[in-house]
Amino acid sequence: MAKNNSSSTAVPDTVWLGRGRHLGPEAERDVRRNLTALKAAGVIDDFLDLDPVEAARSTDLFPRDESAHAGPSARRLFEARWRVADGVTVRAQLTTYGSESRRVESEGVTWVLAAEAERAWEASWPSPATVFWPDSDQVAWDHDKVPGVRLRTTNHLPKDDGELRRLLRDCTRQSWFIHVVVHEAMTPDARGRRPITAFLPPSLRHRVVEHRATPEQALIADFAMKRELGVGLPRGGAVVLPPTPQVPGYDAERFTVRAVFLNGTEPTELLQKIAEFASLPRPLPADAEQVLTRLRQGWHLLTPDEELAHARAMVTRYAKALEAMTASCDLYREAAESALAALAEATSGNDASRTPTPTATDQDTSPLKTLTKTLAFFRSANRS
């Protein structure tokens, strides 16, 4: 039985998610160079380059819980802020991770990216991937977590039936991207070998992986897909693969195209099917929940106005908590006094059995010490 790696929460329509691998040297250097260039050109407003441990550190002004930690294998955390159409602000975080095994050379550097806009995401907006990564074929940032699969190009299906079925399972269960399989009815020329994803709008382009079945793979690919996923591949056509678990509203016929002409022209019908599939509510991958939480609650790149608003909100929060604590202390004191009075009455003033009234201690009760202890109390309460 397939492991359910998705939550019941749908991906918000304001959010763009991506996860992949960078197989080249010095992944973080590529990100820094691209962000620096885009900021200098005025494409983005600002960015931060953070150490993950420092980024997760909790302070009085910015209390953070365990969800702020990116994990022990996190290498670097980048934040960027930019504006799109009509001045809509986009905030995004990209985190890089080291290899979880000793095969560092083959696994490369894993990255996860979450971006959120102030309103529903539009496919025509710039891709968050190319805000952090250079949009260049010379930088190998665009590999999927599934080995041997890459964005921005065509990926030919394996010849072996077992490998093909394994690939289909991995792509539909492990990948965060949308996967499309296209059958080449005849060997295409150079124009036909161009990825159809190049015709997609910017923000959708880097969410789609394109697979190609060669002319002689028509039967084996169709059989494997029907057996593993319950969808068929028409000869000379294409199909958008269903993820596991399946998204509500998915129907194989609805997302199947009977004929795709690989002659360099825009495959309008297939592009419409992909865009329609991308608009369906999709369960949030379980391992993406913390990524989205960090973006929303662990954000560092604040404008001066946002910093001031945050500071005022924290002052109000602490003041209310202090007021509640004071009220509780008053209630406890009143209860203690009432108990002592009742005890005195019950013992008819017998001083020998009467509990003495608590007096103030001789410890340091300076305002600074009191405030420090109060803030420490709030931090521990915030973590619980």
Side-chain angles (χ1 to χ4, degrees):
M1 181 178 293
K3 181 181 178 181
N4 187 344
N5 63 346
S6 296
S7 71
S8 58
T9 305
V11 178
D13 61 3
T14 56
V15 170
W16 192 102
L17 293 172
R19 181 179 65 173
R21 294 179 299 140
H22 180 290
L23 298 189
E26 301 184 64
E28 289 81 7
R29 181 195 62 182
D30 291 334
V31 177
R32 289 188 193 101
R33 287 180 173 178
N34 202 57
L35 290 171
T36 301
L38 293 182
K39 182 179 178 182
V43 176
I44 63 176
D45 295 341
D46 205 355
F47 74 91
L48 285 178
D49 179 357
L50 303 166
D51 175 82
V53 175
E54 291 299 319
R57 197 176 302 281
S58 185
T59 65
D60 293 334
L61 190 57
F62 292 95
R64 306 185 194 281
D65 57 23
E66 289 300 318
S67 64
H69 293 270
S73 62
R75 292 165 42 127
R76 210 68 191 167
L77 173 68
F78 297 92
E79 292 186 350
R81 186 182 66 246
W82 65 93
R83 283 165 291 173
V84 290
D86 302 323
V88 176
T89 297
V90 176
R91 295 173 177 83
Q93 283 182 341
L94 181 139
T95 309
T96 57
Y97 292 88
S99 173
E100 296 179 356
S101 72
R102 297 183 181 273
R103 297 176 297 169
V104 178
E105 294 81 4
S106 61
E107 292 188 3
V109 174
T110 298
W111 55 267
V112 293
L113 197 168
E116 184 162 27
E118 293 177 318
R119 62 177 171 85
W121 200 275
E122 295 185 12
S124 60
W125 292 348
S127 168
T130 49
V131 169
F132 292 93
W133 299 112
D135 194 9
S136 166
D137 294 335
Q138 304 303 313
V139 182
W141 60 265
D142 56 353
H143 291 261
D144 196 351
K145 280 288 289 181
V146 178
V149 177
R150 192 172 184 178
L151 296 161
R152 304 190 300 171
T153 188
T154 55
N155 301 272
H156 279 91
L157 296 177
K159 301 292 184 182
D160 179 75
D161 177 67
E163 291 182 12
L164 171 56
R165 289 166 57 188
R166 189 179 309 111
L167 176 69
L168 292 172
R169 287 195 297 269
D170 291 346
C171 288
T172 54
R173 298 176 186 181
Q174 299 178 17
S175 178
W176 289 8
F177 299 115
I178 297 169
H179 291 260
V180 180
V181 179
V182 180
H183 177 246
E184 300 170 346
M186 60 184 70
T187 304
D189 57 16
R191 292 175 301 173
R193 289 192 292 270
R194 182 188 181 193
I196 58 137
T197 53
F199 292 102
L200 290 169
S203 274
L204 189 52
R205 190 176 305 150
H206 298 133
R207 289 184 56 201
V208 178
V209 173
E210 178 183 352
H211 303 269
R212 291 282 183 97
T214 59
E216 60 273 16
Q217 283 182 296
L219 293 178
I220 187 173
D222 180 64
F223 176 78
M225 291 169 59
K226 284 179 178 176
R227 183 164 183 175
E228 291 295 331
L229 307 175
V231 300
L233 178 64
R235 184 180 296 271
V239 62
V240 181
L241 299 185
T244 304
Q246 212 170 92
V247 300
Y250 180 88
D251 177 77
E253 285 298 318
R254 179 182 176 186
F255 294 104
T256 298
V257 176
R258 296 295 169 184
V260 178
F261 298 100
L262 300 174
N263 56 4
T265 59
E266 184 173 340
T268 306
E269 184 181 4
L270 179 55
L271 297 179
Q272 290 175 345
K273 297 290 185 183
I274 294 172
E276 184 180 356
F277 178 85
S279 67
L280 292 177
R282 190 170 184 176
L284 183 67
D287 41 2
E289 288 192 73
Q290 188 175 5
V291 176
L292 185 55
T293 299
R294 278 202 307 273
L295 172 64
R296 291 174 169 178
Q297 300 181 11
W299 183 251
H300 303 79
L301 188 57
L302 299 175
T303 65
D305 288 343
E306 289 172 339
E307 288 183 353
L308 180 59
H310 176 79
R312 286 173 173 168
M314 292 303 296
V315 168
T316 301
R317 176 181 173 184
Y318 283 139
K320 289 181 178 179
L322 185 59
E323 182 180 348
M325 288 179 60
T326 302
S328 296
C329 288
D330 291 342
L331 290 174
Y332 278 120
R333 185 175 62 253
E334 291 173 4
E337 291 173 352
S338 298
L340 289 172
L343 180 61
E345 183 179 351
T347 57
S348 302
N350 185 358
D351 293 337
S353 61
R354 181 172 179 176
T355 303
T357 303
T359 59
T361 66
D362 294 329
Q363 297 178 357
D364 181 7
T365 55
S366 68
L368 179 59
K369 286 285 186 179
T370 303
L371 178 59
T372 302
K373 291 179 180 179
T374 301
L375 292 178
F377 173 81
F378 289 143
R379 287 199 301 271
S380 62
N382 190 63
R383 293 192 189 101
S384 62

